[in-house]
Amino acid sequence: MIELRGLTKRYGKGNKTATALSDLNLSIQKGEIFGVIGHSGAGKSTLIRCINLLERPTEGEVWVDGVELTKLGKGRLQEKRRKIGMIFQHFNLLSSATVYDNIAFPLRLAGTPDSAVEEKVKDLLALVGLEGHRNKYPAQLSGGQKQRVGVARALANDPDVLLCDEATSALDPQTTDSILRLLLDINRQFNLTIVLITHEMHVIQRICDRVAVIHGGGIVEQGAVTEVFLKP
Ligand code: ADP
Ligand code: ADP
């Protein structure tokens, strides 16, 4: 489903470069919840942002569903990105738009007719449990509710993959648990592949099937969560 081959990312130019990822290889299967864990600065954020080319790798290939993204032209890449949803630590909602308009945004970008937008947003509001909140603004919502809007927006174009960039790191433990349960539900319901990065072990243990440990821009260990974390 997702294959990263020989992925290297260097930031900066000349003699002032920082290597964030170094010849990294990774395979993620369709329908699994795959976690990447590592300390701050290990390269997690760079890694996940390379999967939808929010960050362009310096070298290497990014395969999603049989297509190599780094070689696509602008139009084809845009199309492909619609099928890769993403949620963020700080939600990245439009503060001057209602819950409804935030969720409708990617649908409208994709040229969806208004009547279909209405129907889809209604479904998504129900899916994330925010039916009563469609006309509220982000500032009127709790952190957990904001992230539910983030999830709904990420799912608007029926993606094949959901990328989660420290998606629960700004939430309290109870809210974290409810968002993780939501992600698990969505994974089961749509056979959606989920990739998440986190620095928190309990997040991985709660919902991931497999995990990779990243350190210094490379993967130092990977496998089933039960194997990786039960080793002496
Ligand atoms: P993590 O998400 O695990 O904290 P990052 O991917 O953010 O790791 O960072 C990996 C390395 O790349 C770090 O050394 C970081 O300082 C560096 N880095 C990240 N983003 C940039 C950037 N935009 N410019 C320069 N260096 C960066
Ligand atoms: P079908 O292929 O018959 O549409 P699906 O199970 O793929 O069946 O979809 C059923 C419903 O779930 C549809 O309304 C579809 O838009 C929605 N759906 C499918 N995949 C996703 C997804 N990844 N995220 C959100 N909604 C989805």
Side-chain angles (χ1 to χ4, degrees):
M1 176 77 207
I2 300 172
E3 279 225 31
L4 307 177
R5 295 191 190 150
L7 210 63
T8 294
K9 174 68 184 184
R10 280 185 289 273
Y11 290 105
K13 285 211 162 69
N15 54 6
K16 276 194 174 166
T17 62
T19 304
L21 299 176
S22 169
D23 193 20
L24 180 145
N25 297 293
L26 189 63
S27 277
I28 296 170
Q29 311 304 315
K30 170 132 189 79
E32 74 176 331
I33 305 186
F34 193 96
V36 177
I37 190 166
H39 294 300
S40 175
K44 301 182 296 295
S45 175
T46 303
L47 169 62
I48 202 161
R49 291 161 61 86
C50 278
I51 298 177
N52 59 2
L53 294 201
L54 269 184
E55 208 67 77
R56 274 212 172 251
T58 313
E59 288 167 44
E61 298 179 349
V62 177
W63 291 81
V64 178
D65 224 358
V67 179
E68 211 280 286
L69 302 192
T70 69
K71 299 199 180 57
L72 292 181
K74 215 176 151 191
R76 284 278 289 121
L77 178 59
Q78 216 164 43
E79 241 172 72
K80 198 68 191 157
R81 271 195 180 139
R82 284 199 188 115
K83 295 293 175 183
I84 308 175
M86 190 163 188
I87 58 175
F88 305 88
Q89 177 172 9
H90 298 293
F91 323 120
N92 296 15
L93 302 178
L94 300 167
S95 57
S96 60
T98 61
V99 166
Y100 183 94
D101 286 330
N102 267 282
I103 299 172
F105 189 72
L107 291 163
R108 290 174 175 146
L109 277 185
T112 312
D114 280 346
S115 57
V117 170
E118 172 75 34
E119 198 177 327
K120 185 69 186 179
V121 175
K122 247 174 73 183
D123 285 352
L124 289 164
L125 285 168
L127 180 72
V128 301
L130 289 179
E131 291 100 329
H133 302 274
R134 61 185 273 156
N135 295 320
K136 289 192 178 161
Y137 289 87
Q140 298 171 280
L141 303 176
S142 69
Q145 289 171 331
K146 284 182 205 161
Q147 195 57 292
R148 285 172 185 272
V149 177
V151 169
R153 179 184 59 184
L155 296 181
N157 287 312
D158 297 341
D160 307 311
V161 180
L162 177 65
L163 306 177
C164 310
D165 186 350
E166 297 277 5
T168 56
S169 299
L171 305 174
D172 63 59
Q174 217 176 336
T175 311
T176 291
D177 202 63
S178 81
I179 294 295
L180 294 179
R181 251 184 291 135
L182 176 65
L183 294 178
L184 205 50
D185 276 356
I186 290 163
N187 164 260
R188 302 290 189 259
Q189 195 172 337
F190 303 117
N191 195 30
L192 180 69
T193 309
I194 298 182
V195 184
L196 66 86
I197 62 164
T198 181
H199 60 280
E200 297 177 305
M201 183 102 87
H202 71 91
V203 168
I204 301 275
Q205 286 172 322
R206 177 80 173 82
I207 66 166
C208 291
D209 303 307
R210 288 199 303 143
V211 59
V213 181
I214 186 171
H215 184 77
I219 286 170
V220 293
E221 180 149 28
Q222 66 174 304
V225 171
T226 45
E227 288 167 17
V228 170
F229 289 137
L230 285 183
K231 280 190 187 153

